[in-house]
Amino acid sequence: MEFREMNNQEMEKALQTNVTHGLDDDVVKDRLRKNGFNELKEGEKQSAILLFFAQFKDFMVIVLLAATLVSGILGEYIDAIAIMAIVFLNGLLGFFQERKAEKSLDALKEMAAPQVNVLRDGQWMKIPSREVVVGDILKFSSGDRIGADLRIIDHSSLEIEESALTGESLPAVKCSDPLMNEVEGIGDQENMAFMGTMVTRGNGVGIVIATGMNTAMGKIADLLQTAETKETPLQRRLEQLGKILIVTALILTVIVVLTGVIQGHDLYTMFLAGVSLAVAAIPEGLPAIVTVALSLGVQRMIKQKAIVRKLPAVETLGCATVICSDKTGTLTQNKMTVTKVWSGGKTWDVGGTGYNPVGEFSLDGVSVAPKNHNALLQIITFGMLCNKAELKENGKQYILDGDPTEGAMLVAAMKAGLTREHLSKRFTIVKEFPFDSSRKMMSVIVKDDKDNHFVIVKGAPDVLIAQSDTILWEGRSEILNRESKERVQHDMNGLASQALRMIAVGYKPLSKGTILLHETEAERNLTFMGLQGMIDPPRPEVKQAVKECRDAGIKTVMITGDHVITAKAIAKELGILKGKDRVLEGRQLADMEVGELEEVVETVSVFARVSPEHKLKIVKALQNKGHVVAMTGDGVNDAPAIKSADIGISMGITGTDVAKEASSLILVDDNFATIKSAIKEGRNIYENIRKFIRYLLASNVGEILVMFFAMLCALPLPLIPIQILFVNLVTDGLPAMALGLDAAEEDVMKRNPRNANEGVFGRGLGWKIISRGFLIGISTLIAFYVVYRANPDNLAYAQTIAFATLVLAQLIHVFDCRSERSIFSRNPFGNLYLVGAVLSSLLLMVAVMYVQPLQTIFHTVPISGRDWLLVIGMASIPTFLLAGTFLARKAQ
């Protein structure tokens, strides 16, 4: 038998406690010794030193360290220091990122109540919550945070806000009776209270049945510790790129050196040239440029109200195929709002959303003034009188103090122009009978300005109908007979199908001198006035955001702890649930293995009544089917799935600290639409990374091939080592970085997500790199050969021509890299940063060729105007030859 099924005596026996005396000190000490303190434990932590050195295991980092050694051998100490600085900075970033991620468990710990009211040795006392043990008797009231998992044994009008665990926006009404029926999840356990949840109304007493890691919160903490953090596609791509580069660079360098030696070149000279080519072939600045590109993208995303916690994860958004979104507070506003008022067969629509008391009333699509409709005005007036909620204005924000249901009714009345000040002049509350979960009603006795007394009651519709004798119908009071009950039930069903939570309002006139001492006398023989239908409404901008994500090939899936009817209604309204899409409930998920779920998961658009374990299972099933999953949420219950998803997204306003710490991205405005902007930025960041990989590698291939072809043709070295390193510095620096600032192409959100398994050279990038690199190498070699053949005694002049041609060819090629199609596809002045970077590189090149001290260092000489025409012409061929071919194909 489970605790929720036991009565008080059975629990006392099972837990060896006494509800009137509590536990003795000896028993408490013994249980603390056996079970430990009531706190969330952490897994074994890696020491800070090991965590720091672990950052240098990455393959690209090893490549960088090798490049540092090579630069040191060449005497390029500034290069070596710069590379080491990059490696160290990357290591620090990774170290602090992982250390910060550990705070998620600390945030969970903080959700435990710091102190609780406990019964020990017959005395009530306050103790730290960590000292609570199983069998303790705890007392709690409105505003308290529950300190452990409890079985409620006594209560008064108790409601507990459990959204951090269940995702439901409304507080759960609690009872103390044993529950014999089958329950599906935390939200259905009405006689239980859970660690970390908040009491919003009433008070209660409970017996502790679980502490620490055995609580519902503790199970989430355990999931959070064991949840796997996946490598981002970008990290996988860069690791793949690093391996390709190092192998290719070493093979080509060895071939060039051996070919040069066979052709009769000096071994030492060829060794230096080979080492220089190795440095050129490995773009040691790539991780730095990637980091800068990601950082700049992060800055742009901050302006879009999205804060990035983990840099590489930004790019993951670009290949997201599924967004698993929590409903409450993410797709919806987490603000109960009255949208329908029914009375006497008429249904008025109420406009406006949230707690802003502005909105129109309409009947059959026609705007109406509530003061001209007595039935409407009366029901919303009585809803405000039988109400303890308060609405406070804080700048432009309205903040509710009180129960969300009462808040919705209060705001509906305020939309009609009613205020408490105005009503207080006409009505006085004489007596109040508070809400009780067993009665499912609240009532007040009111006196008006004419000294008339009457009772106002609000509560569950079925209960109010049962307690009513008459009904207001078209302004008249009629007997509530079977026929009229059926009419009311029919209209109620219509409202229920729209997922509205309904609160009924009734009243009863009192004759003068009547004194009602008990609620049972007040809440019978009522006149049924009508219903106020409310819902946590969708955010207005979400529907369009869902559509745009669908256009971009991204499916949105709702995952919620809420009821199926509510979830389906919201999902249909937002366009998430369409056609033959399926809906799965938590009880169905519980019976499925991950493998079974994989078979159907792609057909499901809504998961309702789910637990934290279910969310994790859903994410894993989608990932196993090859999807790149973004998981959004705001509660503690979302944190494990957020951490396991390819990219976790939390809410900045309503999100718990736990969710934020587990996430990669935080939405400052809690706006689902912001995800769309983040996805666009993520896609653009990846495209920009591809652009400068394409640019850097094509340039490096050109540098290697010009040397290789020269060796094969038994020509002198077209470039000396110092010139190769300078070309690498001039072209790999500012221009490559400026590509990271490129704006997104217009159709970026009209394309399907790229395959997460797509190689870094996918979509023809490898061919573009080789073909452009080949043409850059050939063009440079031809320019060198033409000049050298005309004047073989002036090798320095021919090498200067090759140097200028190589640099200029790369600087022209950088504009071609801005588009997947052709250099003519985009305005060359669309990226002014790139224009500035290219001009800066040109100035550096000219300075090396014409400033005397630099000529000595780099072994260059000034060249004539006629030879500049040769340089410009040959440097233009690699880009414009292929661009012309593209235009010719397009014209056909």
Side-chain angles (χ1 to χ4, degrees), residues 319 321-322 598 602 619-629 646 754-757:
C319 54
T321 57
V322 177
E598 285 176 30
E602 292 179 307
V619 169
K620 287 182 177 178
L622 284 166
Q623 287 173 335
N624 291 346
K625 292 294 286 185
H627 288 283
V628 177
V629 183
D646 295 278
R754 72 178 189 281
N755 190 328
N757 297 318

PDB file of all heavy atoms in Angstrom, residues 319 321-322 598 602 619-629 646 754-757:
ATOM      1  N   CYS A 319      20.797  23.957 -37.169  1.00  0.00           N
ATOM      2  CA  CYS A 319      20.395  22.663 -37.746  1.00  0.00           C
ATOM      3  C   CYS A 319      19.314  21.998 -36.891  1.00  0.00           C
ATOM      4  O   CYS A 319      19.070  20.792 -37.031  1.00  0.00           O
ATOM      5  CB  CYS A 319      21.596  21.739 -37.933  1.00  0.00           C
ATOM      6  SG  CYS A 319      22.581  21.455 -36.468  1.00  0.00           S
ATOM      7  N   THR A 321      15.914  20.581 -35.914  1.00  0.00           N
ATOM      8  CA  THR A 321      14.796  20.069 -36.707  1.00  0.00           C
ATOM      9  C   THR A 321      13.508  19.978 -35.891  1.00  0.00           C
ATOM     10  O   THR A 321      12.421  19.932 -36.457  1.00  0.00           O
ATOM     11  CB  THR A 321      15.123  18.669 -37.257  1.00  0.00           C
ATOM     12  OG1 THR A 321      15.437  17.794 -36.157  1.00  0.00           O
ATOM     13  CG2 THR A 321      16.314  18.719 -38.209  1.00  0.00           C
ATOM     14  N   VAL A 322      13.649  19.962 -34.565  1.00  0.00           N
ATOM     15  CA  VAL A 322      12.479  19.881 -33.685  1.00  0.00           C
ATOM     16  C   VAL A 322      12.670  20.823 -32.501  1.00  0.00           C
ATOM     17  O   VAL A 322      13.746  20.864 -31.915  1.00  0.00           O
ATOM     18  CB  VAL A 322      12.268  18.442 -33.146  1.00  0.00           C
ATOM     19  CG1 VAL A 322      11.080  18.404 -32.181  1.00  0.00           C
ATOM     20  CG2 VAL A 322      12.027  17.465 -34.277  1.00  0.00           C
ATOM     21  N   GLU A 598      10.299   5.588 -30.214  1.00  0.00           N
ATOM     22  CA  GLU A 598      10.945   5.991 -31.474  1.00  0.00           C
ATOM     23  C   GLU A 598      10.064   5.684 -32.679  1.00  0.00           C
ATOM     24  O   GLU A 598      10.073   6.420 -33.673  1.00  0.00           O
ATOM     25  CB  GLU A 598      12.288   5.275 -31.638  1.00  0.00           C
ATOM     26  CG  GLU A 598      13.405   5.818 -30.752  1.00  0.00           C
ATOM     27  CD  GLU A 598      14.678   4.992 -30.888  1.00  0.00           C
ATOM     28  OE1 GLU A 598      14.894   4.434 -31.980  1.00  0.00           O
ATOM     29  OE2 GLU A 598      15.434   4.910 -29.913  1.00  0.00           O
ATOM     30  N   GLU A 602       7.736  10.635 -34.260  1.00  0.00           N
ATOM     31  CA  GLU A 602       7.697  11.641 -35.321  1.00  0.00           C
ATOM     32  C   GLU A 602       6.279  11.986 -35.759  1.00  0.00           C
ATOM     33  O   GLU A 602       6.076  12.957 -36.478  1.00  0.00           O
ATOM     34  CB  GLU A 602       8.525  11.167 -36.521  1.00  0.00           C
ATOM     35  CG  GLU A 602      10.019  11.126 -36.218  1.00  0.00           C
ATOM     36  CD  GLU A 602      10.849  10.624 -37.398  1.00  0.00           C
ATOM     37  OE1 GLU A 602      10.541   9.539 -37.920  1.00  0.00           O
ATOM     38  OE2 GLU A 602      11.785  11.328 -37.781  1.00  0.00           O
ATOM     39  N   VAL A 619      12.996  13.463 -25.617  1.00  0.00           N
ATOM     40  CA  VAL A 619      14.172  14.075 -26.240  1.00  0.00           C
ATOM     41  C   VAL A 619      15.094  12.996 -26.802  1.00  0.00           C
ATOM     42  O   VAL A 619      15.578  13.089 -27.938  1.00  0.00           O
ATOM     43  CB  VAL A 619      14.931  14.960 -25.221  1.00  0.00           C
ATOM     44  CG1 VAL A 619      16.296  15.373 -25.776  1.00  0.00           C
ATOM     45  CG2 VAL A 619      14.111  16.203 -24.896  1.00  0.00           C
ATOM     46  N   LYS A 620      15.327  11.943 -26.017  1.00  0.00           N
ATOM     47  CA  LYS A 620      16.237  10.875 -26.468  1.00  0.00           C
ATOM     48  C   LYS A 620      15.672  10.131 -27.670  1.00  0.00           C
ATOM     49  O   LYS A 620      16.410   9.762 -28.598  1.00  0.00           O
ATOM     50  CB  LYS A 620      16.519   9.906 -25.321  1.00  0.00           C
ATOM     51  CG  LYS A 620      17.447  10.491 -24.265  1.00  0.00           C
ATOM     52  CD  LYS A 620      17.748   9.492 -23.158  1.00  0.00           C
ATOM     53  CE  LYS A 620      18.745  10.071 -22.155  1.00  0.00           C
ATOM     54  NZ  LYS A 620      19.010   9.136 -21.040  1.00  0.00           N
ATOM     55  N   ALA A 621      14.357   9.900 -27.677  1.00  0.00           N
ATOM     56  CA  ALA A 621      13.735   9.202 -28.803  1.00  0.00           C
ATOM     57  C   ALA A 621      13.891  10.018 -30.088  1.00  0.00           C
ATOM     58  O   ALA A 621      14.207   9.464 -31.153  1.00  0.00           O
ATOM     59  CB  ALA A 621      12.254   8.945 -28.514  1.00  0.00           C
ATOM     60  N   LEU A 622      13.688  11.300 -30.003  1.00  0.00           N
ATOM     61  CA  LEU A 622      13.837  12.173 -31.173  1.00  0.00           C
ATOM     62  C   LEU A 622      15.293  12.193 -31.643  1.00  0.00           C
ATOM     63  O   LEU A 622      15.575  12.148 -32.841  1.00  0.00           O
ATOM     64  CB  LEU A 622      13.357  13.587 -30.840  1.00  0.00           C
ATOM     65  CG  LEU A 622      11.837  13.769 -30.778  1.00  0.00           C
ATOM     66  CD1 LEU A 622      11.478  15.088 -30.103  1.00  0.00           C
ATOM     67  CD2 LEU A 622      11.215  13.708 -32.170  1.00  0.00           C
ATOM     68  N   GLN A 623      16.215  12.270 -30.689  1.00  0.00           N
ATOM     69  CA  GLN A 623      17.637  12.275 -31.054  1.00  0.00           C
ATOM     70  C   GLN A 623      18.036  10.955 -31.706  1.00  0.00           C
ATOM     71  O   GLN A 623      18.812  10.942 -32.677  1.00  0.00           O
ATOM     72  CB  GLN A 623      18.490  12.541 -29.813  1.00  0.00           C
ATOM     73  CG  GLN A 623      18.419  13.983 -29.326  1.00  0.00           C
ATOM     74  CD  GLN A 623      19.139  14.189 -28.001  1.00  0.00           C
ATOM     75  OE1 GLN A 623      19.298  13.257 -27.217  1.00  0.00           O
ATOM     76  NE2 GLN A 623      19.583  15.410 -27.748  1.00  0.00           N
ATOM     77  N   ASN A 624      17.495   9.842 -31.196  1.00  0.00           N
ATOM     78  CA  ASN A 624      17.812   8.538 -31.781  1.00  0.00           C
ATOM     79  C   ASN A 624      17.278   8.404 -33.202  1.00  0.00           C
ATOM     80  O   ASN A 624      17.771   7.584 -33.983  1.00  0.00           O
ATOM     81  CB  ASN A 624      17.255   7.409 -30.911  1.00  0.00           C
ATOM     82  CG  ASN A 624      17.983   7.294 -29.574  1.00  0.00           C
ATOM     83  OD1 ASN A 624      19.056   7.871 -29.390  1.00  0.00           O
ATOM     84  ND2 ASN A 624      17.397   6.564 -28.643  1.00  0.00           N
ATOM     85  N   LYS A 625      16.248   9.203 -33.527  1.00  0.00           N
ATOM     86  CA  LYS A 625      15.703   9.196 -34.888  1.00  0.00           C
ATOM     87  C   LYS A 625      16.458  10.177 -35.790  1.00  0.00           C
ATOM     88  O   LYS A 625      16.059  10.411 -36.927  1.00  0.00           O
ATOM     89  CB  LYS A 625      14.223   9.565 -34.865  1.00  0.00           C
ATOM     90  CG  LYS A 625      13.338   8.525 -34.203  1.00  0.00           C
ATOM     91  CD  LYS A 625      13.282   7.218 -34.983  1.00  0.00           C
ATOM     92  CE  LYS A 625      12.440   7.326 -36.225  1.00  0.00           C
ATOM     93  NZ  LYS A 625      12.286   6.031 -36.921  1.00  0.00           N
ATOM     94  N   GLY A 626      17.535  10.751 -35.260  1.00  0.00           N
ATOM     95  CA  GLY A 626      18.372  11.631 -36.075  1.00  0.00           C
ATOM     96  C   GLY A 626      18.019  13.092 -36.016  1.00  0.00           C
ATOM     97  O   GLY A 626      18.558  13.891 -36.791  1.00  0.00           O
ATOM     98  N   HIS A 627      17.122  13.477 -35.114  1.00  0.00           N
ATOM     99  CA  HIS A 627      16.729  14.880 -35.017  1.00  0.00           C
ATOM    100  C   HIS A 627      17.700  15.664 -34.140  1.00  0.00           C
ATOM    101  O   HIS A 627      18.266  15.136 -33.175  1.00  0.00           O
ATOM    102  CB  HIS A 627      15.313  15.007 -34.453  1.00  0.00           C
ATOM    103  CG  HIS A 627      14.246  14.581 -35.414  1.00  0.00           C
ATOM    104  ND1 HIS A 627      13.832  15.359 -36.467  1.00  0.00           N
ATOM    105  CD2 HIS A 627      13.521  13.434 -35.485  1.00  0.00           C
ATOM    106  CE1 HIS A 627      12.894  14.731 -37.143  1.00  0.00           C
ATOM    107  NE2 HIS A 627      12.683  13.550 -36.571  1.00  0.00           N
ATOM    108  N   VAL A 628      17.856  16.930 -34.483  1.00  0.00           N
ATOM    109  CA  VAL A 628      18.583  17.871 -33.620  1.00  0.00           C
ATOM    110  C   VAL A 628      17.510  18.604 -32.820  1.00  0.00           C
ATOM    111  O   VAL A 628      16.676  19.314 -33.378  1.00  0.00           O
ATOM    112  CB  VAL A 628      19.421  18.865 -34.445  1.00  0.00           C
ATOM    113  CG1 VAL A 628      20.094  19.880 -33.528  1.00  0.00           C
ATOM    114  CG2 VAL A 628      20.474  18.106 -35.250  1.00  0.00           C
ATOM    115  N   VAL A 629      17.515  18.393 -31.511  1.00  0.00           N
ATOM    116  CA  VAL A 629      16.392  18.798 -30.665  1.00  0.00           C
ATOM    117  C   VAL A 629      16.728  20.033 -29.834  1.00  0.00           C
ATOM    118  O   VAL A 629      17.740  20.070 -29.134  1.00  0.00           O
ATOM    119  CB  VAL A 629      15.980  17.648 -29.719  1.00  0.00           C
ATOM    120  CG1 VAL A 629      14.774  18.036 -28.885  1.00  0.00           C
ATOM    121  CG2 VAL A 629      15.681  16.383 -30.521  1.00  0.00           C
ATOM    122  N   ASP A 646      19.999  18.835 -27.665  1.00  0.00           N
ATOM    123  CA  ASP A 646      21.132  19.391 -28.405  1.00  0.00           C
ATOM    124  C   ASP A 646      21.330  20.854 -28.060  1.00  0.00           C
ATOM    125  O   ASP A 646      22.448  21.350 -28.010  1.00  0.00           O
ATOM    126  CB  ASP A 646      20.890  19.234 -29.911  1.00  0.00           C
ATOM    127  CG  ASP A 646      20.860  17.768 -30.310  1.00  0.00           C
ATOM    128  OD1 ASP A 646      21.946  17.196 -30.500  1.00  0.00           O
ATOM    129  OD2 ASP A 646      19.765  17.189 -30.396  1.00  0.00           O
ATOM    130  N   ARG A 754      19.951  22.060 -42.181  1.00  0.00           N
ATOM    131  CA  ARG A 754      20.983  21.191 -42.742  1.00  0.00           C
ATOM    132  C   ARG A 754      21.069  19.921 -41.900  1.00  0.00           C
ATOM    133  O   ARG A 754      20.701  19.914 -40.719  1.00  0.00           O
ATOM    134  CB  ARG A 754      22.334  21.905 -42.763  1.00  0.00           C
ATOM    135  CG  ARG A 754      22.956  22.075 -41.397  1.00  0.00           C
ATOM    136  CD  ARG A 754      24.305  22.734 -41.456  1.00  0.00           C
ATOM    137  NE  ARG A 754      24.956  22.682 -40.170  1.00  0.00           N
ATOM    138  CZ  ARG A 754      24.688  23.491 -39.161  1.00  0.00           C
ATOM    139  NH1 ARG A 754      23.801  24.442 -39.305  1.00  0.00           N
ATOM    140  NH2 ARG A 754      25.321  23.363 -38.008  1.00  0.00           N
ATOM    141  N   ASN A 755      21.543  18.874 -42.512  1.00  0.00           N
ATOM    142  CA  ASN A 755      21.718  17.598 -41.821  1.00  0.00           C
ATOM    143  C   ASN A 755      22.810  17.750 -40.761  1.00  0.00           C
ATOM    144  O   ASN A 755      23.897  18.249 -41.050  1.00  0.00           O
ATOM    145  CB  ASN A 755      22.112  16.520 -42.833  1.00  0.00           C
ATOM    146  CG  ASN A 755      22.067  15.132 -42.230  1.00  0.00           C
ATOM    147  OD1 ASN A 755      22.325  14.943 -41.045  1.00  0.00           O
ATOM    148  ND2 ASN A 755      21.746  14.154 -43.048  1.00  0.00           N
ATOM    149  N   ALA A 756      22.500  17.327 -39.533  1.00  0.00           N
ATOM    150  CA  ALA A 756      23.483  17.445 -38.448  1.00  0.00           C
ATOM    151  C   ALA A 756      24.734  16.620 -38.725  1.00  0.00           C
ATOM    152  O   ALA A 756      25.808  16.899 -38.190  1.00  0.00           O
ATOM    153  CB  ALA A 756      22.865  17.017 -37.119  1.00  0.00           C
ATOM    154  N   ASN A 757      24.586  15.589 -39.579  1.00  0.00           N
ATOM    155  CA  ASN A 757      25.733  14.747 -39.925  1.00  0.00           C
ATOM    156  C   ASN A 757      26.472  15.241 -41.159  1.00  0.00           C
ATOM    157  O   ASN A 757      27.398  14.595 -41.626  1.00  0.00           O
ATOM    158  CB  ASN A 757      25.265  13.299 -40.151  1.00  0.00           C
ATOM    159  CG  ASN A 757      24.684  12.691 -38.888  1.00  0.00           C
ATOM    160  OD1 ASN A 757      25.220  12.882 -37.804  1.00  0.00           O
ATOM    161  ND2 ASN A 757      23.586  11.965 -39.025  1.00  0.00           N
TER     162      ASN A 757
END
